[in-house]
Amino acid sequence: MGRSAAPKESLAQADIDDFADNPTLYRLLRMLPTELRREHINRIEHLEDEEAEGYLYALHERRDAALRESQVSDDTLRPYFESNQERLWQALENEVFTSEENHLGAGTTARIKRLDLTSFAPDAALPESLAVKYLVTPNSKTLSASGEHDMVAEVEQMQAIERAELAAIGVNARVRVPHPYFYYQKGKTQCYGMERIDGVNLDQGISGSVSPTMREELARAFADVDREALFEEIDMFFDTMHGICIHGDIKPRNLMASRDGKIYVIDFGQAVLATAVDEKSQAAFEELKEAEKSSTRDAVRFFLDALKG
């Protein structure tokens, strides 16, 4: 491969342009960070095109592996996902992130979409689908102190709350968090998969913006509920949760009711760990804990009234 000389001030761009006659090499070089590009151009400039392509493909594979992080927290799901890492990422790219028709919910910084699991293990005892939450637009509330997204902290809080709730209340709890299944990161993209709740958020239920069929099913599911017992369970849930974190954004939209008569607390993106609260903030922290319980009881009360109305 012949390479032409270039002025020093535009060396990096000129060197890339020297590979413009080979679209594959040009694309692979463009995918590298600028600070690495010079080093690898030097390594391939005397290779034949086929050898250079092989070198860059192998380099990108190593970089992808280094930039990828995953954690499968569900024992049933683990063997299927850990043996299908590439298929998982492809499914997230092709069926979740880029599909406009796939939509379960959205906020200011995140979207929630559906991931079909039947193609991974059609005969396994797995749910048919999961809900996948991924960040879209960063802001001060979704960045850690180091300036990076910290979605893994959200997953870890949900896992800790679920374990604590299981120990305190048991598997038949009517107030809970969605079961977290996995966390996945590749480059700047972070997402996690959780239990897909078959129901509506309480904002939809209170406003009546649900289908007649859904409303009828929810009305049946909550028809015989003992309100006082449910409110006591809400308080128990939050007492246990507040030993781990404060939610930070309790509102009807972040509470969901399922067809089987359960209440879910969702979206821990603004949660604050209890251990992070200093002594000066303790009084305000106690007030927030009571406010979260009260707001949840009120939202559930309005929701139950709307079902009867």
Side-chain angles (χ1 to χ4, degrees), residues 177-193:
V177 294
H179 177 61
Y181 281 93
F182 72 88
Y183 165 80
Y184 198 91
Q185 173 180 332
K186 183 180 180 184
K188 295 181 179 180
T189 301
Q190 292 192 45
C191 68
Y192 66 85

Side-chain angles (χ1 to χ4, degrees), residues 108-138:
T108 306
T109 61
R111 292 177 183 164
I112 303 176
K113 296 190 176 182
R114 171 182 169 135
L115 174 64
D116 185 9
L117 291 185
T118 54
S119 62
F120 284 92
D123 300 322
L126 299 177
E128 290 185 0
S129 63
L130 303 182
V132 176
K133 178 177 179 179
Y134 65 102
L135 289 169
V136 179
T137 306

Side-chain angles (χ1 to χ4, degrees), residues 82-143:
E82 290 187 348
S83 62
N84 287 282
Q85 286 286 317
E86 289 304 321
R87 285 184 58 210
L88 168 62
W89 180 248
Q90 289 172 4
L92 291 172
E93 282 285 347
N94 299 333
E95 302 168 20
V96 178
F97 303 143
T98 57
S99 174
E100 293 298 327
E101 297 179 358
N102 184 348
H103 177 80
L104 294 179
T108 306
T109 61
R111 292 177 183 164
I112 303 176
K113 296 190 176 182
R114 171 182 169 135
L115 174 64
D116 185 9
L117 291 185
T118 54
S119 62
F120 284 92
D123 300 322
L126 299 177
E128 290 185 0
S129 63
L130 303 182
V132 176
K133 178 177 179 179
Y134 65 102
L135 289 169
V136 179
T137 306
N139 64 23
S140 59
K141 293 181 179 179
T142 61
L143 295 178

Side-chain angles (χ1 to χ4, degrees), residues 274-288:
T275 54
V277 179
D278 57 31
E279 189 173 340
K280 293 180 180 179
S281 305
Q282 195 61 44
F285 185 61
E286 294 300 322
E287 290 182 7
L288 282 171

Side-chain angles (χ1 to χ4, degrees), residues 244-258:
I244 298 164
C245 68
I246 192 162
H247 184 279
D249 194 24
I250 289 293
K251 55 189 177 185
R253 186 174 178 179
N254 286 337
L255 302 166
M256 291 194 71
S258 66

Side-chain angles (χ1 to χ4, degrees), residues 162-173:
E162 185 179 55
R163 288 193 297 268
E165 293 298 334
L166 185 61
I169 303 174
V171 295
N172 295 319

Side-chain angles (χ1 to χ4, degrees), residues 55-71:
Y55 171 87
L56 290 175
Y57 275 123
L59 171 66
H60 281 292
E61 286 180 3
R62 293 195 301 273
R63 281 180 54 76
D64 280 350
L67 292 170
R68 192 178 304 163
E69 178 185 349
S70 65
Q71 178 200 64

